[in-house]
Amino acid sequence: MTVKTHFLKLNTNKNFEIIDITSSINELIDIEEGIISIFSRHSTSAIVVNENESGLLKDFELTLDNLIADDFSYNHDRIDNNAKSHLKSFLLSSSECLPIKNGNLELGTWQSVFFVELDGPRRNRTITLTMVGE
Ligand code: ZN
């Protein structure tokens, strides 16, 4: 059994952005079989697995906007004007743990892995990839 760690760096271009990182992760996988932890080191972002269909991704953005009201006086905005970004991140997840088979992510036919930017644009967003297997 071996443990390998890689870092995936991203620059984002918009305040809210969903970036499909499936192929970037597959390029960095260097074990044949095991599991991979995909972890975003930022509290205003998320890692999610879902279908890469443009209408659905827009629906995801609209749903988050509906859940986290715009016209509310959030406490965190007193020190750092991005409470909404943190709150959306709280509702999602900072990591996913997924299976690897034949040197690639073993996803369902309609599944992709996404990095969700919730407070962009940002430079050097860092995603830690930790693989365990052989
Ligand atoms: Zn903040």
Side-chain angles (χ1 to χ4, degrees):
M1 196 192 71
T2 179
V3 179
K4 300 207 174 167
T5 302
H6 292 285
F7 299 97
L8 179 58
K9 301 263 189 184
L10 291 176
N11 296 325
T12 62
N13 301 306
K14 292 186 270 183
N15 182 256
F16 180 91
E17 192 172 354
I18 305 172
I19 301 170
D20 190 328
I21 56 173
T22 311
S23 58
S24 302
I25 294 168
N26 278 330
E27 282 169 23
L28 291 169
I29 289 177
D30 52 4
I31 63 173
E32 277 303 301
E33 188 155 5
I35 58 168
I36 182 169
S37 162
I38 302 157
F39 171 65
S40 171
R41 297 163 59 97
H42 310 281
S43 57
T44 54
S45 71
I47 302 290
V48 298
V49 175
N50 217 297
E51 182 178 348
N52 192 351
E53 190 279 310
S54 59
L56 180 64
L57 299 183
K58 194 71 197 161
D59 292 338
F60 178 42
E61 179 176 6
L62 291 170
T63 300
L64 286 173
D65 283 339
N66 285 334
L67 288 169
I68 307 294
D70 218 349
D71 54 350
F72 190 82
S73 180
Y74 294 108
N75 293 285
H76 183 66
D77 285 341
R78 287 186 217 134
I79 58 155
D80 188 16
N81 194 32
N82 64 355
K84 282 187 297 176
S85 306
H86 287 280
L87 292 167
K88 288 174 183 174
S89 181
F90 264 106
L91 295 177
L92 301 169
S93 175
S94 59
S95 70
E96 288 282 353
C97 188
L98 300 171
I100 294 170
K101 197 153 191 182
N102 301 320
N104 279 292
L105 290 169
E106 184 163 71
L107 295 165
T109 307
W110 303 106
Q111 288 179 315
S112 293
V113 184
F114 299 103
F115 174 82
V116 186
E117 175 60 78
L118 298 165
D119 196 31
R122 297 285 189 109
R123 301 196 67 76
N124 279 318
R125 290 299 213 182
T126 304
I127 299 155
T128 306
L129 305 176
T130 309
M131 292 163 241
V132 180
E134 53 194 12

